[in-house]
Amino acid sequence: MAADAPSAPAAPVPVRDRHDALVLIVTWIVLSIIACLLVALVWGPHLPPGRASTSAADQQDAYIVLGTMATPVVVGVLLYFAYAAIFWRKPKDDDTDAAPLHGNTKVSATWIIGTAAVVLSLAVYGTVELISPAGAGAGEGPQPIWKPAGTTTSSLTSWTPGTSNILQVQVIGQQWAWTFRYPQFGGFESTQLVLPVNEPVQFNVTSLDVIHSFWAYQLGVKADANPGLNNVAYTTPQSIGSFEVRCAELCGIWHGSMFTTGQVMSDADFMAWTKTTATQLAAVTKLLPPYATTYDPTVVATMGKVNQQLGLTGGGGGYYSPGDPVQP
Ligand SMILES: [Cu+2]
């Protein structure tokens, strides 16, 4: 397209340019509608992290909205590039320069207003999507502002399915393993992360040594695990099955092996699991520090004495070693 130089005397727009603009705009609209439908309806349901929890579903919805809004921009750029390469190509023997461009007020204004509207509306949408799903599965620090609707923390020592009292699960990171403590079931600490389906859960994430990051991928939960700090994140698992737990913060030489698999099960199976596990770990639970939102890492040094009492071999970095006969 030739430029409309604002200072130049009004010259009629060449017929060829008008034709190009019309073809480009109509083609852009048609291709954009097709591509947006494909992105939203065909690709969208396959976008990560899936819909295994409320926070995961919210994140997938956000990706679908962002992807769909970006699609007309991508289509426009690629279409213009292809159209220019095909129809505005110069003959091989034409070595002359193209006509100089001196700006185009209409194009500039349209671009600035259009991109500003897209970016600002997405900023508003992103903020709402962070606030309304109770922090969107991210850590909110020790005093969360956004909590799941209809939940309270009425008891830290008991939990019953289907009540407003929210399930508490403490996530403890240490080099290089995750453990999970259940204060409402006697405070046992397990290497297994087990959750009931369709029950809101509050993760209280902390660390015993360096900064880790608790990332329950399919649940759409990611929260930094900082020593001496309780970082709270919420979600509600929506489907029974397994999910991956990884560390998303480079935390030392075995960072890459700091992963486990979590399980979402029915209320009845979850209650049975807590009962069995509490019984199995009763001897170890008695020796654990009392449940707290953070733990003093210097206490870890005294755990070797506990291990001696139990006849265990470990105690180097935490409460147990992989070779120990009894594991939390
Ligand atoms: Cu880590």
Side-chain angles (χ1 to χ4, degrees):
M1 250 185 292
D4 307 335
S7 55
V13 178
V15 174
R16 172 73 195 168
D17 283 359
R18 269 193 239 139
H19 171 73
D20 284 339
L22 189 67
V23 170
L24 275 169
I25 288 172
V26 171
T27 313
W28 175 65
I29 291 172
V30 172
L31 287 181
S32 291
I33 292 172
I34 295 169
C36 282
L37 289 171
L38 287 174
V39 167
L41 302 177
V42 179
W43 192 25
H46 300 286
L47 284 173
R51 308 191 77 79
S53 76
T54 48
S55 43
D58 279 318
Q59 288 166 29
Q60 190 186 69
D61 290 343
Y63 293 145
I64 291 171
V65 169
L66 293 171
T68 306
M69 284 185 75
T71 298
V73 180
V74 175
V75 168
V77 170
L78 293 178
L79 174 66
Y80 193 87
F81 180 76
Y83 195 90
I86 294 167
F87 296 107
W88 298 333
R89 187 182 288 276
K90 282 203 168 189
K92 255 189 176 172
D93 52 353
D94 183 354
D95 289 335
T96 56
D97 283 342
L101 295 173
H102 296 284
N104 184 315
T105 315
K106 273 189 208 159
V107 170
S108 301
T110 308
W111 184 258
I112 290 167
I113 293 168
T115 50
V118 169
V119 169
L120 292 176
S121 60
L122 283 179
V124 172
Y125 174 78
T127 307
V128 171
E129 275 301 297
L130 182 65
I131 296 169
S132 66
E140 295 185 49
Q143 268 126 20
I145 305 170
W146 309 303
K147 299 172 184 179
T151 64
T152 58
T153 309
S154 52
S155 173
L156 267 176
T157 53
S158 68
W159 184 82
T160 311
T163 59
S164 63
N165 186 30
I166 193 165
L167 176 68
Q168 305 278 328
V169 177
Q170 184 171 50
V171 178
I172 303 168
Q174 60 184 305
Q175 290 170 317
W176 286 274
W178 294 110
T179 50
F180 308 95
R181 202 162 181 190
Y182 290 77
Q184 291 155 321
F185 298 91
F188 68 79
E189 182 175 348
S190 172
T191 52
Q192 293 179 288
L193 175 54
V194 177
L195 300 170
V197 72
N198 294 326
E199 302 281 0
V201 54
Q202 173 174 336
F203 292 111
N204 302 295
V205 184
T206 191
S207 165
L208 296 183
D209 39 43
V210 299
I211 299 174
H212 302 271
S213 177
F214 171 61
W215 183 23
Y217 172 76
Q218 285 85 356
L219 298 186
V221 172
K222 193 190 257 183
D224 277 356
N226 299 284
L229 192 100
N230 182 30
N231 193 11
V232 176
Y234 299 102
T235 196
T236 305
Q238 295 186 137
S239 55
I240 288 172
S242 61
F243 57 92
E244 290 168 46
V245 174
R246 294 194 163 271
C247 181
E249 183 77 48
L250 184 59
C251 59
I253 192 164
W254 298 116
H255 158 72
S257 67
M258 196 170 161
F259 62 89
T260 186
T261 303
Q263 296 289 334
V264 177
M265 46 183 69
S266 68
D267 280 339
D269 288 349
F270 173 75
M271 294 307 277
W273 175 80
T274 56
K275 203 175 169 191
T276 312
T277 311
T279 307
Q280 279 174 353
L281 297 177
V284 179
T285 305
K286 266 195 291 185
L287 299 163
L288 290 178
Y291 177 74
T293 50
T294 64
Y295 300 96
D296 181 353
T298 58
V299 173
V300 171
T302 68
M303 299 306 289
K305 290 173 189 164
V306 169
N307 285 352
Q308 278 170 15
Q309 282 173 21
L310 283 171
L312 308 182
T313 56
Y319 301 132
Y320 73 97
S321 281
D324 288 340
V326 180
Q327 289 189 7

